[in-house]
């Protein structure tokens, strides 16, 4: 974490002279550790006197798409059209972009964390891109733990049948490992 902070702080200090918003993207599969990294980074930035805000892409999930996706999956009526709809429409990218732009007006740094954030649909220019690469089995174990602790009633099968599959499609389209500035390889 310390080396990541130093890199970002150094890059921010260089970009600060241009008086433009500094936007950091933290990306990876569900349960990779994006939120944890974003919170740690935000705390370190605040300790250094840098005003920042975290935008969680999950906050922009379309509740209707999410509900209908999980209902179709649970009912056994899940099909390719449902998957395509989920992948294309789960996130309201326009609303997310608007919130990030607003946050950039009042903060020195905005941290955007979540799935699919490097897709061109988000239309955000990131100053620094971090990709957290963890094995799907590790992420699944984290999801199972999260389900127990938060009493998440979504079936565990959604992880592989929806989330991993959507993540794999995203990786094949966007190739976040190649476009990131920092690749963090997890356990």
């Amino acid at each position: 974490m310390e080396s990541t902070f130093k890199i970002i702080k150094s890059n921010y200090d260089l970009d600060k002279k241009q008086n433009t918003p500094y936007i950091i993207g933290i990306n990876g599969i569900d349960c990779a550790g994006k939120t944890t990294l974003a919170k740690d980074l935000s705390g370190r930035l605040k300790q250094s006197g840098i005003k920042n805000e975290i935008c969680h892409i999950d906050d922009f999930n379309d509740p209707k798409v999410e509900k209908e996706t999980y209902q179709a999956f649970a009912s056994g009526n899940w099909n390719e059209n449902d998957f395509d709809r989920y992948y294309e429409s789960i996130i309201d990218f326009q609303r997310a972009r608007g919130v990030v732009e607003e946050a950039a007006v009042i903060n020195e740094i905005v941290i955007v964390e979540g799935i699919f954030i490097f897709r061109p649909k988000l239309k955000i220019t990131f100053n620094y891109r971090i990709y957290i690469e963890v094995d799907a089995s590790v992420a699944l174990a984290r999801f199972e733990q999260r389900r127990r602790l938060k009493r998440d009633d979504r079936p565990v099968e959604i992880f592989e049948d929806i989330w991993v599959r959507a993540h794999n499609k995203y990786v094949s389209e966007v190739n976040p490992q190649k476009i990131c500035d920092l690749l963090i390889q997890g356990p």
Side-chain angles (χ1 to χ4, degrees):
M1 179 61 198
E2 187 61 32
S3 61
T4 302
F5 169 73
K6 285 179 181 178
I7 292 167
I8 289 170
K9 175 84 169 69
S10 173
N11 288 337
Y12 165 71
D13 288 341
L14 291 172
D15 278 8
K16 189 165 98 171
K17 295 174 182 140
Q18 296 181 18
N19 203 26
T20 58
Y22 194 83
I23 302 174
I24 300 168
I26 302 175
N27 186 226
I29 193 170
D30 287 280
C31 304
K34 300 176 298 294
T35 302
T36 300
L37 177 60
K39 288 178 181 177
D40 288 349
L41 181 57
S42 175
R44 296 224 182 183
L45 291 167
K46 285 177 183 170
Q47 288 174 349
S48 294
I50 299 172
K51 187 175 179 185
N52 69 87
E53 184 175 333
I54 301 172
C55 293
H56 305 279
I57 208 70
D58 286 351
D59 293 344
F60 305 99
N61 282 356
D62 183 317
K64 182 179 179 192
V65 171
E66 193 169 45
K67 180 180 178 183
E68 290 173 359
T69 295
Y70 297 141
Q71 283 177 340
F73 185 81
S75 72
N77 292 323
W78 176 253
N79 60 42
E80 282 304 305
N81 290 334
D82 294 316
F83 174 77
D84 291 340
R85 180 171 182 244
Y86 171 83
Y87 183 73
E88 291 301 325
S89 305
I90 189 61
I91 299 168
D92 183 341
F93 286 109
Q94 183 176 351
R95 191 166 63 93
R97 184 177 58 253
V99 169
V100 170
E101 289 170 354
E102 287 175 22
V105 170
I106 59 173
N107 291 281
E108 295 172 78
I109 294 179
V110 178
I111 302 168
V112 181
E113 69 84 15
I115 60 170
F116 310 153
I117 63 169
F118 299 151
R119 287 180 75 185
K121 289 175 86 169
L122 187 53
K123 296 181 183 170
I124 289 179
T125 301
F126 291 96
N127 299 83
Y128 200 79
R129 293 178 176 166
I130 300 171
Y131 183 74
I132 304 174
E133 186 173 69
V134 299
D135 188 81
S137 64
V138 171
L140 174 59
R142 291 175 180 172
F143 175 61
E144 289 173 332
Q145 182 179 22
R146 183 185 294 174
R147 285 183 72 236
R148 285 190 301 275
L149 295 175
K150 294 185 178 179
R151 302 193 197 294
D152 188 335
D153 62 349
R154 294 175 294 183
V156 72
E157 293 81 12
I158 66 167
F159 189 86
E160 287 186 14
D161 295 343
I162 300 174
W163 295 355
V164 170
R165 189 168 164 222
H167 180 73
N168 289 341
K169 181 174 181 172
Y170 167 73
V171 167
S172 71
E173 288 179 0
V174 175
N175 203 348
Q177 299 97 325
K178 296 285 187 213
I179 65 169
C180 69
D181 300 293
L182 176 63
L183 175 64
I184 298 175
Q185 293 179 314

